[in-house]
Amino acid sequence: MTIEAGQPLAGQPTTARQAGARRPLGELGLAALGRAGRAALLATGRPPVPDALEPLVRVHRQHHPQGDLALLARAYRLAEASHRGQKRKSGEPYITHPLAVTMILAQLGAGTTTLVASLLHDTVEDTDLTLDQVSAGFGPEVAYLVDGVTKLEKVDFGAAAEAETFRKMLVATGDDVRVMVIKLADRLHNMRTIRHMKPASQVRIAKVTRDVLIPLAERLGIQVLKAELEDIVFATLHPEEHARTRALMADHEAEPDTVLGPFAGRLARQLAEAGIAAEVTVRPRHCVSLHRVLLERAAAPGPDGQPRGPQPADFGRLLVVVEENADCYAVLGELHTCWTPLPGEFKDFVAAPKFNLYQSLHTAVALEGGAVVEVLVRTRRMHEVAETGVVALGDPTPAGPAQDTDELDRTDPARPGWLSRLLEWQQETPDPDAFWSALTADLAGDREITVVTESGETLQLRAGATCVDAAYLLGEETGHRCIGARVNGRLTALSTVLRDGDVLAVLTEGPPADGGQRGAEPSGPSPEWLAHARTPAARLAIERWLADHPARLPVVRTGPAGGQPAPPAHRAGERRSAPVAVAGRPGATVRLARCCTPVPPDEVAGYPIRGGAVAVHRTGCPAGQRLRADGRTELQVRWRSEDAPTARHRATLLAEALNRPRLLADLTAAISAEGVGIVSAEVEPPQELRVRHTYTVELPEPGALPALMRAMLRVSGVYDVSRPHAPEGARGRHSGENGGDRPAPGVRPSWGIHGRSTALSGHMGPGDGRGSSPQPYSDQRTE
């Protein structure tokens, strides 16, 4: 569909009565003149309209035969009188601009009220006409539309005038989407005449059109407007590439069609034989669409390793229009039966419409000669909506108190889903520069994805959104309490980019383990989340939290909690009894290895070292195995049970967690609450929002280790607590816990307590985060 603006009609004779000699008034009496006027009115069945409106009226009556032409005529006369004497940059009378904009809207099928507002859309901004006068003459509905597209004065807003004007239009669009439709038609005609502007103004206007208006046209589904705007912007910002692409299109048009046309005929005959009523046409690509295809061709090398040039099938696609939804799938069956479909090219936007109401079946088939042809299949109604978007849905009617409206109805032209989200976050950005940056960033993605939560809720997100964005889309409180995510059943980092159709679970902080009030306020997001937030709503919520909660340094307590007895101090020179007895060496000095920190009842082995001492390692410790490989004799050792009450043991624990604020403070508090002293603590830099803490602790008695590890695991965000250098077969869940892994035969269990999820280490690649499938958390809930 090509939209024509029409010819400047003001002041040109268009009827024989205007062009020829007129009969003197005296030859007809007043009564005869009145009878002639009434006869003409009865003959045509409608009141006369100004000659300049005749082309517009013809187009409008094709879509709205009962349109109020008298109202249109009255609006035109007021606009013409208000703009009389004004000129455009091209030198044409100014009234040609509102006429052209209104013609564009009439060709889209807009209603009479929209056309009336379009004729008057510049009167309040550029003439002495006031908004009250428009409301008095044409009603508050027309006045609202005119006010919505009226620019704010630079005198009042300075450099922020453009950003605030767009904010004003978006807010007005939230109540009536026709405001943005009129603005898009206005920008299209201005872009058609952009050659009359200064070069610097051309570039500035083209960039704003590219960054804001074209994405808005895409979101409203008005593809005919979007396509022409894209081509003009392409010609303005990249004239050389535009010229090359246009030359390729002209060369292709000059040659006979050997692929698309013949295939369209074959497909039409096949569908007729199958009894499917359908229209098959070839839709040529517009300039920007072809340029994108050429870029893809250049980036994909051919069989010889060289970039592939354009193919005849690249210059267009086949469109099949049918009557019923079921016929769409019948056509698809014929296509895939008679020709070879390309894997991965089929998309069903009929069962799952796009966010801008677009519905079609997309597929691609390979022909005998190797050519690949793209085919679109849709019904007539789908085609109308695909071309003109929300305009095809008709003028929105405000829902009154007695009307029932479905809040989840995505076909509501007055409030599409993406617009509702945009209006929510724009209220939180009073700064014009911040609003403009957030607006262009939000509109940068030209498509949306659908994500389903494990509870069945459907989330609409922009392409490139992460788990952070999904968490905040579920609610600001959910976002603040988020500590991790599970995508398609697999534990993943919050920075993971979501894909269309993913199944998501947002893991949040649960209530405090002690039942107190510590969990009343969530730990909240960390500054690193801003790097992973793609939607303005998520970024603004994170920034608000960080502003309201300045960074607090955790207090690390390295002793037992209050009320717990402190470990006895050892005087200088006091010798503690050895906790391990070495067979055959009763007086040998024993050193418990720091690499694996053995604790009763671990299976241990001794190895002689310098000075006659014996190093005791856990069985299977890599360091002990290296000593044995170097020729050291393995000595039989055993724990002294009689010394257990007085001996104190050091143990090293690894806690792997999803990073969050105050995690270090919560872990150290949990350790101290068990009456365990912290000898040292080390925190590795976070990777993919995961962090590892290493603690060396001094146990009051060996039996305290399992309870300590369980207490650490109960801290929100901690998914794995283990001991380093665990022997093969012994590192796993504590014996008997949730049916966990049991140690190898003959090996006593070595404590390694995990949540009901597989540890992330070794399962998540950088940047993807889609690893092996863990089980749900045992101490966390999902939203």
Side-chain angles (χ1 to χ4, degrees):
M1 177 178 179
T2 303
I3 301 177
E4 299 294 340
Q7 300 293 327
L9 300 173
Q12 298 183 6
T14 57
T15 65
R17 185 169 64 85
Q18 278 186 313
R22 291 188 291 180
R23 183 189 299 265
L25 182 61
E27 296 185 13
L28 287 177
L30 292 178
L33 189 61
R35 287 193 298 271
R38 286 193 295 273
L41 178 61
L42 292 174
T44 60
R46 59 183 174 88
V49 296
D51 297 324
L53 279 185
E54 283 292 348
L56 175 65
V57 168
R58 285 196 297 270
V59 174
H60 183 50
R61 287 178 67 85
Q62 293 175 4
H63 297 278
H64 301 277
Q66 304 301 321
D68 190 346
L69 302 185
L71 190 65
L72 270 178
R74 198 152 53 85
Y76 168 76
R77 294 188 183 96
L78 178 59
E80 194 278 331
S82 301
H83 290 296
R84 190 172 297 159
Q86 296 179 347
K87 299 284 185 180
R88 303 199 79 217
K89 295 283 185 182
S90 60
E92 298 173 312
Y94 196 91
I95 190 60
T96 59
H97 171 65
L99 268 176
V101 172
T102 308
M103 175 63 80
I104 292 172
L105 293 170
Q107 290 174 326
L108 289 174
T112 304
T113 302
T114 307
L115 302 189
V116 169
S118 174
L119 287 170
L120 301 172
H121 79 274
D122 276 339
T123 54
V124 175
E125 180 181 333
D126 295 331
T127 73
D128 294 333
L129 195 67
T130 65
L131 201 60
D132 290 338
Q133 291 173 320
V134 173
S135 180
F138 300 91
E141 190 176 2
V142 172
Y144 184 85
L145 298 177
V146 172
D147 182 48
V149 296
T150 300
K151 296 178 183 177
L152 298 175
E153 294 291 341
K154 287 189 176 181
V155 175
D156 299 327
F157 291 89
E162 184 173 40
E164 292 299 333
T165 296
F166 271 101
R167 188 202 298 268
K168 172 173 170 280
M169 281 190 294
L170 287 171
V171 173
T173 302
D175 292 327
D176 197 327
V177 77
R178 291 175 293 179
V179 171
M180 190 55 64
V181 174
I182 295 173
K183 177 60 182 178
L184 290 170
D186 173 64
R187 178 54 61 95
L188 176 57
H189 184 252
N190 285 332
M191 292 299 291
R192 285 174 172 172
T193 58
I194 197 173
R195 62 186 181 277
H196 300 292
M197 305 289 292
K198 296 178 181 178
S201 297
Q202 291 184 33
V203 172
R204 179 183 61 81
I205 295 172
K207 286 183 177 180
V208 173
T209 304
R210 176 197 64 192
D211 296 339
V212 179
L213 273 304
I214 289 176
L216 286 172
E218 166 74 14
R219 280 157 173 72
L220 294 176
I222 313 177
Q223 293 298 324
V224 289
L225 270 171
K226 178 200 171 196
E228 189 172 354
L229 285 172
E230 282 184 330
D231 286 351
I232 300 174
V233 168
F234 184 38
T236 304
L237 299 180
H238 307 282
E240 295 180 358
E241 295 181 31
H242 177 267
R244 285 196 294 269
T245 307
R246 288 295 304 174
L248 284 174
M249 295 175 70
D251 294 342
H252 173 75
E253 292 169 359
E255 298 175 355
D257 187 357
T258 59
V259 178
L260 295 177
F263 178 61
R266 292 173 59 191
L267 178 58
R269 289 191 296 272
Q270 179 64 35
L271 296 178
E273 293 175 3
I276 303 173
E279 295 179 4
V280 184
T281 57
V282 177
R283 285 175 60 89
R285 293 183 182 273
H286 64 98
C287 193
V288 170
S289 178
L290 177 60
H291 181 68
R292 293 192 183 112
V293 172
L294 297 179
L295 291 178
E296 294 175 2
R297 286 284 188 187
D304 56 355
Q306 299 297 321
R308 296 180 296 173
Q311 305 298 312
D314 294 338
F315 290 85
R317 296 182 289 186
L318 258 62
L319 173 64
V320 182
V321 179
V322 295
E323 296 298 330
E324 303 292 338
N325 286 19
D327 295 337
C328 294
Y329 296 97
V331 171
L332 185 70
E334 293 296 324
L335 273 168
H336 288 187
T337 300
C338 300
W339 291 274
T340 303
L342 265 65
E345 294 296 326
F346 171 64
K347 298 180 179 66
D348 188 349
F349 296 118
V350 174
K354 296 176 70 174
F355 66 96
N356 58 359
L357 313 181
Y358 177 85
Q359 288 183 284
S360 279
L361 295 180
H362 288 208
T363 189
V365 294
L367 307 186
E368 291 80 359
V372 176
V373 178
E374 295 183 41
V375 184
L376 312 179
V377 186
R378 59 180 69 143
T379 65
R380 296 185 184 278
R381 178 57 176 168
M382 292 176 192
H383 180 61
E384 184 181 2
V385 175
E387 295 290 283
T388 61
V390 295
V391 181
L393 303 179
D395 291 347
T397 302
Q403 292 176 306
D404 295 328
T405 58
D406 185 0
E407 293 182 358
L408 300 179
D409 183 7
R410 295 175 62 244
T411 63
D412 179 13
R415 183 60 69 89
W418 62 267
L419 181 58
S420 298
R421 295 194 299 272
L422 188 150
L423 293 174
E424 288 174 4
W425 65 253
Q426 69 85 23
Q427 298 175 356
E428 306 295 333
T429 53
D431 180 65
D433 293 335
F435 165 75
W436 188 254
S437 299
L439 176 64
T440 54
D442 188 64
L443 297 176
D446 61 352
R447 66 183 184 91
E448 287 196 357
I449 62 172
T450 301
V451 175
V452 181
T453 66
E454 291 186 355
S455 60
E457 185 177 356
T458 300
L459 305 179
Q460 297 291 332
L461 292 157
R462 55 168 292 186
T466 65
C467 297
V468 172
D469 301 303
Y472 278 96
L473 185 59
L474 288 169
E476 191 166 307
E477 185 67 17
T478 301
H480 290 339
R481 292 186 178 275
C482 177
I483 57 174
R486 190 168 52 241
V487 177
N488 300 327
R490 298 177 178 179
L491 191 65
T492 186
L494 289 175
S495 59
T496 300
V497 176
L498 297 170
R499 300 168 185 162
D500 198 28
D502 278 345
V503 178
L504 170 74
V506 175
L507 308 175
T508 59
E509 288 182 276
D514 56 3
Q517 299 299 316
R518 185 173 56 86
E521 184 181 44
S523 298
S526 65
E528 290 78 10
W529 288 19
L530 291 173
H532 308 305
R534 301 289 185 270
T535 57
R539 292 187 61 86
L540 291 169
I542 295 170
E543 289 171 350
R544 279 198 306 271
W545 172 275
L546 296 176
D548 295 339
H549 300 78
R552 295 188 292 268
L553 295 177
V555 178
V556 179
R557 290 174 289 181
T558 58
Q564 297 289 340
H570 296 282
R571 299 182 180 88
E574 180 181 353
R575 182 170 181 174
R576 299 170 60 186
S577 61
V580 175
V582 182
R585 299 189 182 188
T589 302
V590 175
R591 295 180 182 176
L592 300 180
R594 295 184 180 180
C595 56
C596 57
T597 57
V599 174
D602 291 340
E603 285 290 333
V604 290
Y607 301 92
I609 56 176
R610 292 180 182 177
V614 177
V616 178
H617 291 262
R618 293 163 64 192
T619 301
C621 173
Q625 291 176 347
R626 285 195 297 270
L627 289 173
R628 185 171 55 186
D630 291 340
R632 304 293 178 92
T633 303
E634 182 174 336
L635 304 176
Q636 295 297 321
V637 297
R638 66 175 179 82
W639 296 103
R640 293 179 183 270
S641 58
E642 65 275 12
D643 292 332
T646 58
R648 301 185 65 85
H649 299 271
R650 289 189 178 185
T652 301
L653 300 177
L654 298 180
E656 297 186 70
L658 301 171
N659 192 30
R660 63 173 178 84
R662 299 207 300 271
L663 176 62
L664 177 61
D666 291 346
L667 272 171
T668 54
I671 295 172
S672 298
E674 295 296 318
V676 176
I678 301 175
V679 177
S680 65
E682 179 183 356
V683 179
E684 298 179 10
Q687 294 183 358
E688 291 291 325
L689 299 182
R690 294 170 291 136
V691 67
R692 174 182 289 182
H693 291 206
T694 303
Y695 297 93
T696 299
V697 298
E698 191 169 61
L699 303 171
E701 46 115 2
L705 185 58
L708 171 63
M709 298 175 74
R710 283 191 289 268
M712 295 173 65
L713 188 61
R714 285 195 294 268
V715 174
S716 292
V718 178
Y719 58 82
D720 187 11
V721 177
S722 61
R723 298 172 64 189
H725 304 301
E728 292 297 330
R731 176 172 176 153
R733 296 191 181 100
H734 187 267
S735 177
E737 182 189 12
N738 304 322
D741 302 332
R742 296 184 180 275
V747 178
R748 297 185 67 184
S750 175
W751 296 301
I753 297 181
H754 301 250
R756 296 194 186 108
S757 60
T758 302
L760 292 181
S761 303
H763 294 286
M764 294 177 56
D768 184 8
R770 302 169 191 266
S772 61
S773 300
Q775 297 299 318
Y777 280 73
S778 59
D779 60 341
Q780 292 155 355
R781 59 187 179 87
T782 60
E783 292 291 341

